[in-house]
Amino acid sequence: MRRVNSLLAAGAASLLSTAAFAADYPLPPPIAPPPPQPYYAPPPPQEFGGWYLRGDIGMTNQKVKSLQNVLYNDPGVSVQPVHYEFDSGVTFGIGIGYQYNSWLRFDVTGEYRGKTSFNGLEIVRLTNGTTFPNGNSAATDEYRGNKSEWLGLVNAYADLGTFWCITPFVGAGIGYSRNEIRGFTDINTPNGSVAFGQKATRTNVAYALHAGLAYKVNNNFTIELAYRYLNLGDGITGDLQTFDGTNLRFNPTTFKEITSNDLRLGLRWNLEPTLVVPPPAPLLPLIRRG
């Protein structure tokens, strides 16, 4: 009996000592649950648009379809054009526009097209059996003059997507052109005659077609390189007079359908800087008691 009691006492003492030894070490921390996935508010819709200013400079390559004069209406006169040529000129323009969305924009522009020299040559033949004072039935008319314009257009453009900061675009415009012809002379060398016309202007409906590339330097500054086809309508001279001042009746010379192929460099400045919106703060999941 004593032996059994001794074994029980020894076992109890051993269990108590083991418990006391284990109490000297802290328990391992509990395993934390995985962090909750953050919930983000949907990003605000991307906004396009805003007003911008623009400035342009360019070079012109101009043509005229024909020259017309009331004297050419005589059925006994035949006129054969040889050439009509304008020198290249410089254009300067400014404007204000609005970017409507990511691909559509509009602007209103005003432009001065600098003075360019004109020269032309025609062969005139008398087909009614008569001759010129020198006895010939044919003669030449040599033309000289200068031309300039003031041009105003309302334009619309379609941006065709941006690739490596470069945006191709196309567009069209319509407006008015005030064409001025000055210093016009008509020299008929074979007959030794000279006529000239006083300065005159004509205002016409004008239209333009645009195509080009825009390079976005930063959010508020863009450079354009563009081609433009431009129809300026007609120009007109004053009544032709001989060198002694004799008026040759109402016979101004009309420049029919003046057109131009322009190469232009443009700059655009946004008036409303683009704001950089930081990403929204995460919204933590709602914890409920349950």
Side-chain angles (χ1 to χ4, degrees):
M1 216 34 202
R2 282 182 189 173
R3 185 173 179 80
V4 174
N5 291 336
S6 296
L7 290 174
L8 291 174
S14 175
L15 182 60
L16 291 175
S17 63
T18 301
F21 180 77
D24 293 337
Y25 292 91
L27 295 175
I31 299 176
Q37 295 296 323
Y39 291 88
Y40 289 93
Q46 189 174 7
E47 293 186 359
F48 297 89
W51 294 96
Y52 62 85
L53 294 177
R54 70 174 302 135
D56 299 273
I57 186 171
M59 294 295 296
T60 68
N61 180 16
Q62 302 176 92
K63 297 180 180 180
V64 61
K65 183 176 181 180
S66 64
L67 300 184
Q68 291 187 1
N69 189 286
V70 66
L71 299 178
Y72 298 168
N73 296 333
D74 190 329
V77 176
S78 171
V79 178
Q80 176 187 346
V82 177
H83 68 79
Y84 305 127
E85 296 177 352
F86 287 100
D87 291 343
S88 294
V90 181
T91 71
F92 306 91
I94 58 173
I96 185 168
Y98 186 77
Q99 184 84 37
Y100 182 73
N101 55 29
S102 61
W103 63 273
L104 183 62
R105 55 189 170 90
F106 305 91
D107 59 37
V108 179
T109 59
E111 180 179 331
Y112 174 70
R113 300 171 59 83
K115 183 175 69 174
T116 56
S117 296
F118 170 78
N119 66 83
L121 177 65
E122 293 176 339
I123 299 176
V124 181
R125 290 185 172 88
L126 301 179
T127 59
N128 56 2
T130 62
T131 62
F132 290 106
N134 62 0
N136 294 325
S137 61
T140 57
D141 277 326
E142 303 170 25
Y143 302 109
R144 299 287 186 274
N146 298 298
K147 180 182 68 65
S148 61
E149 298 91 24
W150 287 96
L151 175 68
L153 292 173
V154 178
N155 305 286
Y157 309 89
D159 293 330
L160 306 180
T162 300
F163 311 91
W164 301 285
C165 298
I166 297 177
T167 304
F169 64 87
V170 294
I174 190 167
Y176 288 94
S177 178
R178 183 177 182 271
N179 306 329
E180 180 179 282
I181 308 293
R182 64 171 63 192
F184 182 80
T185 58
D186 178 355
I187 302 172
N188 189 316
T189 301
N191 292 297
S193 62
V194 178
F196 67 93
Q198 298 286 349
K199 177 182 74 173
T201 61
R202 171 172 285 185
T203 300
N204 310 275
V205 174
Y207 66 88
L209 300 175
H210 309 270
L213 300 173
Y215 176 73
K216 193 171 186 179
V217 178
N218 55 45
N219 287 335
N220 302 313
F221 180 57
T222 302
I223 300 175
E224 290 183 2
L225 181 63
Y227 161 81
R228 179 179 67 185
Y229 170 79
L230 189 61
N231 189 306
L232 298 163
D234 299 341
I236 195 168
T237 72
D239 285 348
L240 296 188
Q241 302 178 17
T242 61
F243 64 92
D244 62 359
T246 301
N247 193 314
L248 301 180
R249 66 179 177 165
F250 181 70
N251 64 342
T253 295
T254 301
F255 286 62
K256 295 295 292 184
E257 198 171 330
I258 301 169
T259 60
S260 184
N261 295 281
D262 300 340
L263 183 64
R264 308 171 74 222
L265 179 66
L267 305 176
R268 281 190 272 140
W269 296 270
N270 286 355
L271 297 179
E272 302 176 53
T274 303
L275 298 178
V276 178
V277 180
L283 300 178
L284 297 179
L286 183 65
I287 300 176
R288 299 178 180 176
R289 294 182 181 180

